[in-house]
């Protein structure tokens, strides 16, 4: 959180009420996708209301108030809510009536506009600027949450979702949604011992590399698919590892429709095959990256190197205005 810009409180009509000073703030953008603002009892007033907004203009930091916690033994009250990503996560992309899947074609921002804007009563506005990137007959998973569906669509094109609260005046503000290219900083930002922070690199090369997918059906009529991991991390239908190098795993799923079983199996396969896990404590490092961008890490002693996308950013501020920022990468809890 930019220490130079205060967090703003707005009413449920979106009109700015005041800056939030001398409060504690904890905002988890894309993990739990929620926030807590700790307000001292002697600073409490009726301006805090359910459905109100908190935000930092020009950033993704913010959300909608939906819970208040009070304990008379404590000297503060917690004003809590859901981040903008959390609100997207609370919507579902449903197949049209009579169809199996929601299928879309067109320019990325125009697709997002058709999905998002009808659901948020004017609070969320999708950019009308064309990305120049078009998809044809993209198929969403059945009943996927909107955030996951959009992220997968954009990632398939090398793009990510960018969220910014725009305040044109104290009477008007909105959440701007844009499709922007993923930025690979791994060649520019390489975390190592020289960065002065601790991190963990886990290079797993004894994972499963053959998955037998057993779906619906009985005995010889059962739907069975074979999936194979390759050295480049891809999953294919032809085998690479054999003999002593082969490790086989049986995945059973009789509850998912046959046409979706392979997709679910691939998602699980990624979790158990050869992979690289990257965790770090970046609270003391000032990184100018966003969710979806890629950074790299290297251990000089072992030579292990990996690059991972940033999956979450957590902002914490105490009531004195001291700010800490924690970046989490894909695969890190």
């Amino acid at each position: 959180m930019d220490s130079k810009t205060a967090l703003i409180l707005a009413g449920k009509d979106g009109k700015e009420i005041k800056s939030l000073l001398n409060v504690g703030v904890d905002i988890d953008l894309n993990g739990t996708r929620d926030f807590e603002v700790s307000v001292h009892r002697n600073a409490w007033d009726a301006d805090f209301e359910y459905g109100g907004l908190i935000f930092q203009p020009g950033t993704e930091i913010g959300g909608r108030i939906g819970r208040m916690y009070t304990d008379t033994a404590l000297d503060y009250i917690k004003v809590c809510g859901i981040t903008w990503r959390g609100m997207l996560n609370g919507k579902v992309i449903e197949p049209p009536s009579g169809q199996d899947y929601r299928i879309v074609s067109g320019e990325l921002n125009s697709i997002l506009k058709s999905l998002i804007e009808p659901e948020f009563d004017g609070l969320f506005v999708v950019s009308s600027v064309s990305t120049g990137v078009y998809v044809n007959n993209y198929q969403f998973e059945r009943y996927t949450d909107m955030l996951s569906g959009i992220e997968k669509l954009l990632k398939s094109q090398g793009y990510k979702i960018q969220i910014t609260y725009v305040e044109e005046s104290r009477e008007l503000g909105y959440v701007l949604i844009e499709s922007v290219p993923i930025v690979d900083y791994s060649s520019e930002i390489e975390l190592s011992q020289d960065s002065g922070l601790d991190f963990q690199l886990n290079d797993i090369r004894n994972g499963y590399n053959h998955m037998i997918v057993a779906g619906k059906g009985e005995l010889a009529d059962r739907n069975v698919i074979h999936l194979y991991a390759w050295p480049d991390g891809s999953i294919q239908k032809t085998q690479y590892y054999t003999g002593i190098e082969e490790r086989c795993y049986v995945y059973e799923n009789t509850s998912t429709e046959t046409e979706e079983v392979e997709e679910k199996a691939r998602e699980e396969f990624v979790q158990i095959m050869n992979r690289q896990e990257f965790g770090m404590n970046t609270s003391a490092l000032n990184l100018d990256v966003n969710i979806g961008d890629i950074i790299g890490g290297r251990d000089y002693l072992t030579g292990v190197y990996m690059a991972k996308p940033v999956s979450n950013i957590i902002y914490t501020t105490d009531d004195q205005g001291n700010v800490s920022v924690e970046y989490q990468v894909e695969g890190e809890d």
Side-chain angles (χ1 to χ4, degrees):
M1 186 182 299
D2 185 351
S3 59
K4 298 179 181 179
T5 307
L7 200 66
I8 303 297
L9 173 68
K12 56 188 175 184
D13 58 1
K15 294 180 180 179
E16 179 179 328
I17 297 174
K18 62 183 179 183
S19 296
L20 294 176
L21 304 175
N22 302 317
V23 298
V25 180
D26 189 337
I27 300 182
D28 188 320
L29 294 183
N30 197 37
T32 57
R33 305 188 184 102
D34 60 10
F35 65 84
E36 291 184 352
V37 178
S38 298
V39 183
H40 285 280
R41 286 185 171 274
N42 58 13
W44 181 262
D45 58 40
D47 290 335
F48 297 96
E49 61 178 346
Y50 294 104
L53 309 177
I54 63 124
F55 58 87
Q56 186 182 65
T59 75
E60 185 180 334
I61 297 168
R64 189 165 185 260
I65 297 170
R67 180 169 65 90
M68 298 191 194
Y69 174 81
T70 181
D71 183 339
T72 55
L74 303 176
D75 62 356
Y76 58 85
I77 297 169
K78 287 186 177 182
V79 179
C80 311
I82 300 171
T83 65
W84 313 129
R85 288 180 191 257
M87 293 175 68
L88 287 171
N89 178 247
K91 298 292 186 179
V92 173
I93 299 176
E94 300 184 49
S97 178
Q99 298 183 30
D100 294 330
Y101 297 94
R102 179 73 176 266
I103 299 175
V104 295
S105 297
E107 187 271 329
L108 295 181
N109 278 337
S110 66
I111 291 173
L112 266 57
K113 184 178 286 287
S114 67
L115 293 171
I116 294 173
E117 289 190 356
E119 300 290 336
F120 290 99
D121 302 327
L123 177 60
F124 284 34
V125 177
V126 178
S127 173
S128 297
V129 177
S130 174
T131 61
V133 178
Y134 295 81
V135 296
N136 187 40
N137 293 328
Y138 180 85
Q139 178 178 291
F140 289 105
E141 295 178 24
R142 285 172 56 83
Y143 298 100
T144 183
D145 72 87
M146 186 173 289
L147 178 62
S148 298
I150 288 171
E151 287 178 332
K152 288 182 180 180
L153 163 63
L154 296 182
K155 189 175 182 180
S156 72
Q157 303 300 313
Y159 273 63
K160 66 185 180 186
I161 184 172
Q162 179 169 288
I163 303 176
T164 309
Y165 192 90
V166 177
E167 190 181 33
E168 294 186 342
S169 71
R170 294 192 174 189
E171 302 295 319
L172 177 65
Y174 59 90
V175 179
L176 176 65
I177 308 290
E178 301 173 274
S179 305
V180 299
I182 292 171
V183 181
D184 187 346
Y185 288 107
S186 59
S187 61
E188 303 173 37
I189 302 175
E190 181 180 287
L191 305 177
S192 67
Q193 289 91 330
D194 296 339
S195 304
L197 74 159
D198 294 323
F199 58 91
Q200 305 81 42
L201 305 179
N202 192 14
D203 191 4
I204 302 171
R205 301 192 184 185
N206 61 350
Y208 291 99
N209 48 52
H210 178 190
M211 174 178 275
I212 300 175
V213 183
K216 292 184 176 182
E218 298 291 336
L219 301 176
D221 294 326
R222 191 167 189 180
N223 179 39
V224 176
I225 304 169
H226 291 262
L227 300 176
Y228 303 97
W230 277 58
D232 62 359
S234 65
I235 298 174
Q236 303 185 28
K237 294 290 184 70
T238 54
Q239 191 167 9
Y240 180 88
Y241 295 100
T242 59
I244 196 172
E245 298 296 334
E246 180 190 20
R247 292 197 70 215
C248 189
Y249 179 84
V250 177
Y251 170 75
E252 297 195 60
N253 186 336
T254 59
S255 61
T256 302
E257 294 302 319
T258 299
E259 61 270 21
E260 297 178 7
V261 166
E262 182 176 336
E263 184 172 359
K264 296 295 183 183
R266 285 174 177 266
E267 291 176 0
E268 178 152 332
F269 201 0
V270 168
Q271 304 301 317
I272 60 174
M273 58 192 277
N274 288 358
R275 62 200 183 278
Q276 294 179 320
E277 298 174 344
F278 182 13
M280 59 182 174
N281 173 15
T282 59
S283 58
L285 192 67
N286 184 23
L287 293 177
D288 186 20
V289 297
N290 295 307
I291 295 172
D293 291 333
I294 299 169
I295 58 177
R298 185 185 306 274
D299 182 345
Y300 289 128
L301 181 62
T302 63
V304 174
Y305 171 82
M306 61 189 67
K308 291 281 189 177
V310 174
S311 61
N312 187 26
I313 306 176
I314 301 172
Y315 297 87
T316 306
T317 306
D318 63 21
D319 58 8
Q320 302 301 310
N322 299 309
V323 180
S324 67
V325 184
E326 178 184 353
Y327 294 81
Q328 296 179 338
V329 293
E330 187 176 274
E332 181 183 10
D333 294 331

